[in-house]
């Protein structure tokens, strides 16, 4: 199976298409190569598995618990959400724990940056229920076009995750490519309208 992200217009530098890792679910298993899928139960579980997968050094700690060092941990971790909605969304965690230095050898901090890629296709409004007088939500009925309805939010990491401008541009480009994946692959597949031959290796 072809990795969709190999065809995206991204200036790959910090990350690469093989480092786009989706949290496992039934549909994603049909849409992405096995190497781009990981099953996890929590952020800690995910990080432990990724440290092992990326070749971290095994360390036996308290109570003979084995964990793995983080210096090789790098990935774009994508967790799909709202899969039962018309427009599923995604949380995208950009991680780079590798040793990082600038051009003159100064140490540069690691990255752990969360981007929310959410659906705003059909916003709801709060109204009073005429029967109970309680506040309830009501869709406004106007559905934005599929690409336009997806909007991104940058998580509040403050100055703990400083980036070079090129890295920030790469982050934006990868986020856009995830949006493209939702629009061109995931939503059509969810609706039974996707041609799986598009993902076959030529």
């Amino acid at each position: 199976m072809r990795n969709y992200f190999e065809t995206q217009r991204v200036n790959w530098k910090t990350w690469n298409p093989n480092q786009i890792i989706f949290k496992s679910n039934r549909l994603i298993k049909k849409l992405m190569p096995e190497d781009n899928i990981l099953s996890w139960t929590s952020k800690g579980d995910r990080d432990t598995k990724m440290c092992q997968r990326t070749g971290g050094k095994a360390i036996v700690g308290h109570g003979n618990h084995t964990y793995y060092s983080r210096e090789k941990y790098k990935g774009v971790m994508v967790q799909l959400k709202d899969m039962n909605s018309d427009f599923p969304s995604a949380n995208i965690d950009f991680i780079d724990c590798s040793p990082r230095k600038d051009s003159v050898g100064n140490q540069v901090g690691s990255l752990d940056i969360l981007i929310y890629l959410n659906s705003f296709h059909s916003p709801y409004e709060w109204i009073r229920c005429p029967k109970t007088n309680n506040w309830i939500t009501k869709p406004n009925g106007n559905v934005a076009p599929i690409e336009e309805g997806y909007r991104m939010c940058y998580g509040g990491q403050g100055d703990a995750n400083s980036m070079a401008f090129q890295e920030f541009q790469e982050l934006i480009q990868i986020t856009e490519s995830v949006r493209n994946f939702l629009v061109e692959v995931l939503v059509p597949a969810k609706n039974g309208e996707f041609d799986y031959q598009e993902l076959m290796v030529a």
Side-chain angles (χ1 to χ4, degrees), residues 107-178:
Q107 191 70 34
V108 177
S110 60
L111 298 176
D112 188 347
I113 301 164
L114 182 60
I115 297 289
Y116 303 98
L117 182 59
N118 291 330
S119 165
F120 292 88
H121 294 85
S122 182
Y124 56 78
E125 54 186 300
W126 289 93
I127 62 168
R128 289 274 190 185
C129 175
K131 294 180 180 178
T132 66
N133 203 36
N134 292 330
W135 288 101
I136 59 173
T137 59
K138 176 186 176 184
N140 68 16
N142 299 323
V143 180
I146 186 168
E147 286 191 21
E148 181 183 342
Y150 280 113
R151 301 177 71 85
M152 62 170 284
C153 305
Y154 178 68
Q157 287 88 8
D159 62 1
N161 283 276
S162 59
M163 290 174 283
F165 288 91
Q166 188 277 334
E167 288 173 320
F168 189 69
Q169 290 170 350
E170 182 183 3
L171 179 147
I172 298 298
Q173 291 168 354
I174 294 172
T175 301
E176 185 174 16
S177 74
V178 174

Side-chain angles (χ1 to χ4, degrees), residues 1-4 28-29 31-37:
M1 179 184 293
R2 177 173 61 83
N3 181 341
Y4 172 87
I28 205 67
K29 289 179 180 178
L31 302 174
M32 289 295 293
E34 185 177 344
D35 289 345
N36 294 88
I37 299 172

Side-chain angles (χ1 to χ4, degrees), residues 27-96:
L27 184 55
I28 205 67
K29 289 179 180 178
K30 300 177 183 178
L31 302 174
M32 289 295 293
E34 185 177 344
D35 289 345
N36 294 88
I37 299 172
L38 181 70
S39 178
W40 67 79
T41 57
S42 66
K43 187 176 187 293
D45 180 53
R46 179 200 74 187
D47 292 346
T48 297
K49 289 178 176 177
M50 281 300 294
C51 288
Q52 181 179 11
R53 179 188 274 200
T54 54
K57 181 182 177 182
I59 302 168
V60 179
H62 180 71
N64 287 328
H65 174 72
T66 301
Y67 64 98
Y68 298 86
S69 60
R70 299 171 62 93
E71 74 277 356
K72 295 183 179 180
Y73 179 14
K74 185 185 285 194
V76 178
M77 314 305 295
V78 183
Q79 181 170 345
L80 299 172
K81 58 182 186 173
D82 305 322
M83 288 296 291
N84 292 326
S85 70
D86 291 337
F87 305 102
S89 300
N91 291 342
I92 311 168
D93 205 353
F94 292 81
I95 297 173
D96 182 4

